[in-house]
Amino acid sequence: MSRVIGIDLGTTNSCVAVLENGQPTVISNAGGYKTTPSMFAITQDGKRLVGHLAKRQAITNSKHTVYACKRLIGRRFDAPEVQKSIDLSPYDIVRGPNDDPRIEIGGKAFTCPEVSATILREMKRVAEEYLGEPVSEAVITVPAYFNDTQRQCTKDAGKIAGLEVLRIINEPTAAALAYGFNRPGEERVAVYDLGGGTFDISILEMSDGVLEVLATSGDTFLGGEDFDRRVVQHLLDTFRESEGIDLRADPMALQRLKDAAEKAKCDLSAREQTEVNLPFIASGDDGPRHLSIEISRDTLERLVEDVVSATLKTVEVCVKDSGLQPGDIDQVVLVGGQTRMPLVQSKVAEYFGRRAHKGVNPDEVVAVGAAIQAESLLSDEDSVLLLDVTPLSLGIATFGGHFARLIERNTTVPVRKGHIFTTTRDNQSAVKIRVLQGEADAAAENDLLGEFVLTGIRPARKGEPEIDVSFDIDANGIVSVSARDLATGKEQSITVNATGTLSDEEIQQIIEDQELYEVALKEGEE
Ligand code: ADP
Ligand code: MG
């Protein structure tokens, strides 16, 4: 029987794990690293690079090196998060035909699932090399806060990479699975995950093989990169003050600064003081200028304190949603590279009144949980019962631009819920069902997942027809909606397919293109 792998497809780094004889193994890549940068690049001579190879050349080829694609996946081009990415990214983000953001490299516009697929394929390859056999199935994790479109796009990415995605599970849930693996008894656990680009918090209850998520929340646009940016600003300001030179207009200098800022930030997790040295960063009237700036841990903490506080505001909301008090939590599990920062650890400890659990590796725990889930999907014995929740409320737009919630956030999935709606005009023969996800009372402020029209409603006075609208959320968190006219029995349904997700034909086309490309590469290398 072939093996199912668990993949943590991170914004910044990805990780793959598998269960061997009941024990999880995190698989190292050829370079010996257990995590692989989620980066994709095309070189001047057309070579495609993924992971460490892509990262290594990012400074000199920044325009053709894609990172943090996960911040774009499943969003509409006009979404504020995408616009923010356009301002921040050295690579080009363009509007795709489905109003989705696409990444343009060397004249070709890649969809986000396509870019993510390059990383998934690399993780698949790493696993195959280790296992010595082909792998075709995987469990992939996503932030709990991902909406329906983002989940579907992640599934598409799996397909493009040649993987059947058996299940999409939430990263914090995966982390809790890994933490609770072979741990008897009853515990309430908070998982605080601060990665490079996203922040997630979940409160879970575990008791002998049942893992129930009580509440989840997060921010898909907050992470270690925000910390880096604060440090870059600080370096830019300090350099301008001392040298009178503004480096903001120099893309190459900015790339080097960004790299150095991240290194300094990581250094300061272990040391009180560090120095950023960037020789030949600019040239003045009297020759080259070098940047050399000391940063202390105190300075770093001052620069990012509000970012850390923002995560704790979200934690507060989540704990409240779970119906618990901070003191009710038995264990705090920290996930994500950014939680290595002492300030993050102390703020979280202060809030919960306890120090975090030390037994898990914050970089690997999500992939381990995905591998555990993969195994339990294969075998019925000993399998864990996972009761996850939907992170965002679901409903439809009603007359006057209101949002009618059918499923509240933090409802356990899978779930099916229905509600009867009616017409607003006499003899109205059709209704348009606009499916929304979000927390705002005004329909327009929520995410539109998709829309469809139910036609053939029997002529009647307004308010008389009974239209049963039901929502289904499956175990992957993927939504389908149906509407039925109770009088005629006529039904319309959709698996919600918002702009940005790819059709089966498009996916097939991308797979074929890839194959073409692979052939071209072999010829080129001869
Ligand atoms: P993601 O889940 O987004 O892929 P990771 O969990 O790999 O991200 O975390 C990446 C982030 O963690 C980066 O912003 C990185 O700078 C930060 N990070 C890694 N190691 C450390 C460290 N020792 N101290 C502080 N931040 C760190
Ligand atoms: Mg992560």
Side-chain angles (χ1 to χ4, degrees):
M1 190 177 60
S2 80
R3 313 288 280 277
V4 186
I5 52 176
I7 303 177
D8 169 9
L9 177 62
T11 310
T12 324
N13 296 295
S14 296
C15 184
V16 58
V18 69
L19 237 62
E20 290 186 299
N21 304 320
Q23 284 306 314
T25 305
V26 178
I27 305 175
S28 303
N29 61 25
Y33 298 100
K34 291 196 167 170
T35 60
T36 298
S38 305
M39 289 175 120
F40 168 66
I42 302 186
T43 61
Q44 292 298 319
D45 51 3
K47 268 221 181 69
R48 299 185 176 197
L49 304 175
V50 186
H52 289 281
L53 293 179
K55 185 169 186 173
R56 216 166 287 153
Q57 51 88 69
I59 291 183
T60 50
N61 187 29
S62 60
K63 208 168 157 55
H64 301 137
T65 303
V66 187
Y67 62 89
C69 164
K70 191 171 166 184
R71 282 188 158 177
L72 304 172
I73 198 166
R75 295 187 191 276
R76 270 169 296 131
F77 183 80
D78 294 315
E81 292 87 352
V82 173
Q83 294 305 312
K84 202 167 154 191
S85 280
I86 292 175
D87 290 343
L88 297 172
S89 305
Y91 53 86
D92 288 333
I93 302 168
V94 299
R95 189 189 291 272
N98 303 332
D99 263 341
D100 56 327
R102 299 206 173 175
I103 295 155
E104 197 168 273
I105 321 179
K108 178 171 163 39
F110 290 85
T111 65
C112 294
E114 219 172 337
V115 173
S116 293
T118 64
I119 293 144
L120 289 174
R121 203 171 325 111
E122 175 69 8
M123 303 320 286
K124 172 172 152 26
R125 205 185 53 76
V126 166
E128 285 174 339
E129 217 152 79
Y130 172 80
L131 294 168
E133 62 184 37
V135 172
S136 59
E137 295 172 320
V139 168
I140 301 177
T141 60
V142 296
Y145 218 58
F146 256 23
N147 70 21
D148 181 71
T149 320
Q150 292 166 307
R151 284 166 201 267
Q152 290 210 35
C153 286
T154 304
K155 261 193 128 172
D156 289 349
K159 250 190 239 173
I160 296 169
L163 285 169
E164 188 190 337
V165 182
L166 294 189
R167 188 63 61 84
I168 296 278
I169 65 169
N170 293 334
E171 287 160 12
T173 312
L177 261 178
Y179 163 76
F181 189 58
N182 289 341
R183 240 183 126 89
E186 214 172 279
E187 273 183 321
R188 284 151 171 180
V189 181
V191 177
Y192 175 105
D193 180 352
L194 190 58
T198 55
F199 169 62
D200 262 300
I201 170 78
S202 287
I203 310 292
L204 308 96
E205 198 163 55
M206 314 203 297
S207 59
D208 301 316
V210 180
L211 196 146
E212 182 176 3
V213 181
L214 300 179
T216 189
S217 189
D219 188 333
T220 48
F221 225 100
L222 194 158
E225 279 181 26
D226 298 289
F227 292 59
D228 301 348
R229 233 174 350 259
R230 295 290 173 85
V231 177
V232 170
Q233 286 304 332
H234 171 75
L235 295 173
L236 284 168
D237 292 346
T238 313
F239 189 72
R240 191 175 51 187
E241 257 165 49
S242 64
E243 301 288 325
I245 297 176
D246 194 349
L247 296 172
R248 282 179 178 81
D250 180 349
M252 180 82 139
L254 279 178
Q255 267 308 308
R256 289 177 66 195
L257 270 173
K258 185 171 170 285
D259 231 43
E262 188 192 354
K263 282 211 185 74
K265 174 192 78 175
C266 293
D267 263 5
L268 289 172
S269 290
R271 301 162 48 186
E272 291 287 342
Q273 188 86 13
T274 192
E275 199 177 274
V276 178
N277 276 308
L278 292 169
F280 302 100
I281 192 80
S283 51
D285 301 332
D286 48 351
R289 298 289 179 86
H290 314 295
L291 180 147
S292 173
I293 298 170
E294 289 262 345
I295 305 184
S296 67
R297 186 184 286 176
D298 283 347
T299 305
L300 173 67
E301 292 184 346
R302 191 171 42 74
L303 290 171
V304 301
E305 181 156 14
D306 61 311
V307 186
V308 182
S309 298
T311 67
L312 283 151
K313 288 252 157 52
T314 308
V315 172
E316 235 170 83
V317 173
C318 187
V319 171
K320 197 158 168 249
D321 278 353
S322 74
L324 302 178
Q325 300 291 325
D328 297 334
I329 304 294
D330 302 305
Q331 212 44 269
V332 180
V333 176
L334 296 180
V335 183
Q338 192 57 54
T339 63
R340 294 189 195 276
M341 182 181 190
L343 179 71
V344 172
Q345 294 175 1
S346 64
K347 287 248 183 198
V348 173
E350 189 186 320
Y351 175 79
F352 285 105
R354 63 170 52 249
R355 291 178 62 82
H357 175 70
K358 286 279 172 212
V360 299
N361 182 321
D363 300 319
E364 300 167 5
V365 63
V366 171
V368 167
I372 292 170
Q373 177 66 7
E375 183 77 10
S376 95
L377 287 175
L378 289 186
S379 63
D380 320 303
E381 18 148 353
D382 255 352
S383 66
V384 250
L385 177 61
L386 240 186
L387 299 172
D388 217 323
V389 296
T390 176
L392 298 163
S393 300
L394 266 175
I396 66 172
T398 56
F399 189 65
H402 297 296
F403 176 48
R405 279 187 185 75
L406 268 77
I407 298 178
E408 295 280 344
R409 73 162 187 268
N410 289 323
T411 302
T412 302
V413 293
V415 61
R416 184 187 169 86
K417 270 197 189 155
H419 194 80
I420 307 288
F421 291 91
T422 189
T423 52
T424 59
R425 280 177 287 112
D426 289 340
N427 295 324
Q428 185 175 337
S429 65
V431 287
K432 188 178 206 176
I433 308 290
R434 289 166 55 81
V435 182
L436 303 166
Q437 196 166 33
E439 305 311 322
D441 291 326
E445 287 170 31
N446 293 308
D447 276 334
L448 178 67
L449 293 183
E451 52 190 13
F452 64 100
V453 176
L454 178 69
T455 54
I457 297 172
R458 209 159 33 104
R461 270 210 295 259
K462 70 175 176 192
E464 274 179 7
E466 291 181 298
I467 298 154
D468 181 12
V469 178
S470 335
F471 277 61
D472 254 305
I473 308 181
D474 70 10
N476 299 311
I478 289 177
V479 182
S480 52
V481 185
S482 64
R484 196 159 62 98
D485 178 357
L486 292 185
T488 62
K490 194 164 163 134
E491 181 164 336
Q492 278 287 333
S493 64
I494 50 166
T495 296
V496 172
N497 222 329
T499 53
T501 57
L502 298 167
S503 67
D504 286 346
E505 293 77 40
E506 282 173 300
I507 290 176
Q508 203 46 46
Q509 188 59 49
I510 292 172
I511 293 173
E512 281 165 23
D513 286 354
Q514 249 174 43
E515 284 164 0
L516 274 180
Y517 167 77
E518 274 162 13
V519 173
L521 210 166
K522 285 191 194 107
E523 280 171 1
E525 277 177 352
E526 274 178 6

